[in-house]
Amino acid sequence: MATGRKRKRKIAKGRVAAAVIFALAGILLILMGTWALLHPEGMGFGSLFTSTSQSDPPEESTPQQPQPALALNPLTGTQTLAQDMANARPVAFMINNAQAALPHNGIANFDVVYELPVEGASTRLMALTADYRQAPRYGSLRSARHDFVELAKGADAVLVHWGGSDFAYNAISQYGVDHLDGMTYGERYFITDRSLGRALEHTRFIEPDGLSQGLAAVSVQIQQEGGYAPLFSFNAAGDTAGSLAAVQVSVPVTWEVTATFDYDPQTKQYAKGEFGSAETDGNTGEEVYVDNVFVLYADVSLMSDGVHRDIDLSSGSGYYISQGTAQPISWSKGDASARLTFTDASGAELQVNPGKSWVIFTGSDPDDLQLS
């Protein structure tokens, strides 16, 4: 009997020990679960029982590549030009300015635009860019005129056009102007976009790849040793201002074409308008803004054929408009190879604010200019 009771006590003690073990195991599981909830970052449970001051090593970050420094754009005086174009000559595009050809493609990407009277009461544009890769398409393109050829020569620009007057072709040959002509190379490097539903003369364009191939084909060198001198004398401070208010500007270029410029004090730029509406870019739909407007008065006469116009590019008076103000200036060019130069009312060289410029030559009466 005694042996039976001893055996029963051993069994009872074993059951108690087992119960204690199970209880301890349950407590341990509860502690481990609580630790996991409090440490979702996934630290090991072993740290319940060991003390450590070590922390997870910081995650390795990918080193950021330094952005290439931009070069000075010689057409705008701003530090916005890709380094590989720092020593490049500008490209000048002959742009159709007929109302039926609007909107212009690439017009928002140009650095300097020249607007001149041509036949009848029409005007035409020659638009310069320091980096022709900035827009996907340029145009629509039209034929060159001899006055534009002389302006391109003075700027040492490569002229891109679709045809030209006899006077223009003579000037290209006489002055040795590098050029790429759509009349010669047609669809090889240029594009005719008939999907626009316009008359044929309003459908000629060129894209950067075609332009690169075309320039290589005619052996035109864009890059030049020694760099490219700024087109204007720029005022780095950007605070050149005149004494006349010029918030709303209306320039009668011909008796049918009036260019308008509306100043935005927030951006300190002018919104360009013509034909009664805002100028927009056909590539993007964005409005066109410029920082500087030059209104240059010149004698305009008929050429010997009685059709084409000749603009006296020797010298004249005008206005420089920027920062919501205007001031009278004088301008001169001289021969075909010379650049345009400007002086203020004191006779000192005009300091031009950095930014994009729109340059208008007109034979209209200076009294017809509207500034307000």
Side-chain angles (χ1 to χ4, degrees), residues 75 85 88-94 110-112 126-133 138 152 155-161 178-180 206 211-212 215 220-222 228:
L75 303 184
M85 298 297 284
R89 301 161 60 195
V91 176
F93 299 82
M94 287 302 310
F110 290 122
D111 299 314
V112 179
M126 185 178 75
L128 276 63
T129 177
D131 187 349
Y132 64 85
R133 305 168 302 183
Y138 295 102
D156 194 20
V158 179
L159 183 63
V160 178
H161 59 110
D178 288 330
H179 69 115
L180 186 66
I206 196 166
L211 179 55
S212 294
L215 294 178
V220 170
Q221 294 294 325
I222 290 290
Y228 184 90

Side-chain angles (χ1 to χ4, degrees), residues 47-87:
S47 57
L48 275 168
F49 311 106
T50 59
S51 174
T52 178
S53 60
Q54 296 179 348
S55 60
D56 290 338
E59 294 183 4
E60 292 186 5
S61 58
T62 303
Q64 292 185 350
Q65 295 297 325
Q67 294 296 318
L70 294 174
L72 181 72
N73 184 326
L75 303 184
T76 63
T78 58
Q79 210 79 19
T80 55
L81 187 63
Q83 282 287 352
D84 62 345
M85 298 297 284
N87 295 328

Side-chain angles (χ1 to χ4, degrees), residues 2-14:
T3 301
R5 284 196 295 271
K6 288 179 180 179
R7 185 179 296 113
K8 288 181 180 179
R9 282 198 295 272
K10 287 181 179 181
I11 293 171
K13 287 180 179 180

